[in-house]
Amino acid sequence: MRRLFPVTDHTVESTPDGSAPAAARDRAAEDREWSLDELADAYAYPAGPGPWLRANMVSTLDGAAQHEGRSQPLSNATDMRVFGALRGLADVVVVGAETVRQEGYRPARAREAFAARRAAAGQAPAPAIAVVSASLDLDFTLPLFTAPLTPTLLVTGAAAAADRVAAARKAGADVVIAGEGAGADPARVVRELGERGLTRLLTEGGPRMLGQFVAAGALDELCLTVSPMLTAGDAQRIAGGPGLAVPEKFVLASVLEESGFLFTRYRRGS
């Protein structure tokens, strides 16, 4: 992996003209395997009280977010390491119910590589999983609900079916009400989780839910892996649903590269 942007390492002083010393530029551009600590530093959440909502998605060159309904075929080993690092930094992973069903979600696991970092930040050993669902059409006997290190949160609306809410609570899920109707309000999801002390939020989709966060103006950061693949077909983009009246501009924060995969990070523009 090598850093393409920004080239200057913030830990190395610049030369008088503001450029990075040659050694720093060479180190940044060096193609090598990054440690998990380096990845964690590169993707650290901004300082502040939060909450901060980050999305992690993958897309092919022709804009597909899935192949045959799943994102995994578009990924590679390095993308999965970045995926793991992003989870290792998060308080909570926010995901839509359809993605839980399609991708076979399991509880997040505690990883020794992030144990000291998480303890120092006052975080639980592993991030919680928050499943956003209006219908609550989920199998509550799955390990995601029966065997998590941190209780799985089920985020829904006040008008959700009472029997499904009861079934979720019986299975051990922590039900969070984040809307007045059957479904959750995206901006309120972020607020409700933040009020529970879960201020470092990571969403992994799917496209419909990410589109809702975008439409609500709730997304702070997008970590997008651009996969050097073409799929054609009619697969979804990374975000679906109604379009914005005015496109929202995000600012490029960093670009890493390995084996033709680009690991980009964009933040909300000022």
Side-chain angles (χ1 to χ4, degrees), residues 183-206:
D185 172 74
R188 187 168 165 185
V189 170
V190 174
R191 186 169 66 251
E192 292 288 344
L193 294 175
E195 289 177 356
R196 290 168 175 254
L198 304 173
T199 58
R200 304 172 187 90
L201 286 77
L202 171 66
T203 180
E204 298 169 351

Side-chain angles (χ1 to χ4, degrees), residues 33 37 49 65 75 82 95 98 105 114 117 125 138 177 231-232 249 251 263:
E33 182 173 317
D37 270 341
S75 183
V82 172
V95 63
E98 184 62 21
Y105 262 60
F114 297 98
R117 188 182 292 262
L138 294 156
I177 301 301
T231 63
K249 184 177 180 179
V251 177
F263 303 94

Side-chain angles (χ1 to χ4, degrees), residues 229-246:
M229 300 180 188
L230 294 168
T231 63
D234 57 359
Q236 289 182 292
R237 300 174 356 186
I238 65 167
L244 297 175
V246 179

Side-chain angles (χ1 to χ4, degrees), residues 62-248:
D62 53 343
Q66 301 169 342
H67 181 64
E68 297 182 344
R70 301 178 65 238
S71 61
Q72 191 278 332
L74 311 180
S75 183
N76 73 347
T78 302
D79 184 44
M80 295 311 298
R81 293 186 82 233
V82 172
F83 174 93
L86 293 178
R87 280 197 165 197
L89 295 170
D91 295 329
V92 60
V93 177
V94 186
V95 63
E98 184 62 21
T99 297
V100 167
R101 290 187 287 263
Q102 289 186 352
E103 303 280 354
Y105 262 60
R106 299 181 64 85
R109 59 189 178 91
R111 299 182 61 185
E112 183 61 32
F114 297 98
R117 188 182 292 262
R118 293 186 68 86
Q123 294 174 293
I129 304 292
V131 183
V132 181
S133 177
S135 68
L136 309 187
D137 182 17
L138 294 156
D139 182 354
F140 296 125
T141 67
L142 293 176
L144 179 61
F145 297 100
T146 62
L149 281 174
T150 303
T152 294
L153 298 106
L154 187 57
V155 188
T156 191
D163 61 329
R164 298 305 294 164
V165 171
R169 286 179 169 145
K170 183 177 180 180
D174 184 357
V175 178
V176 179
I177 301 301
E180 299 307 317
D185 172 74
R188 187 168 165 185
V189 170
V190 174
R191 186 169 66 251
E192 292 288 344
L193 294 175
E195 289 177 356
R196 290 168 175 254
L198 304 173
T199 58
R200 304 172 187 90
L201 286 77
L202 171 66
T203 180
E204 298 169 351
R208 180 172 175 272
M209 194 181 71
L210 179 56
Q212 292 173 343
F213 281 129
V214 171
L219 186 68
D220 297 298
E221 180 178 329
L222 172 64
C223 297
L224 176 65
T225 297
V226 180
S227 174
M229 300 180 188
L230 294 168
T231 63
D234 57 359
Q236 289 182 292
R237 300 174 356 186
I238 65 167
L244 297 175
V246 179
E248 184 175 10

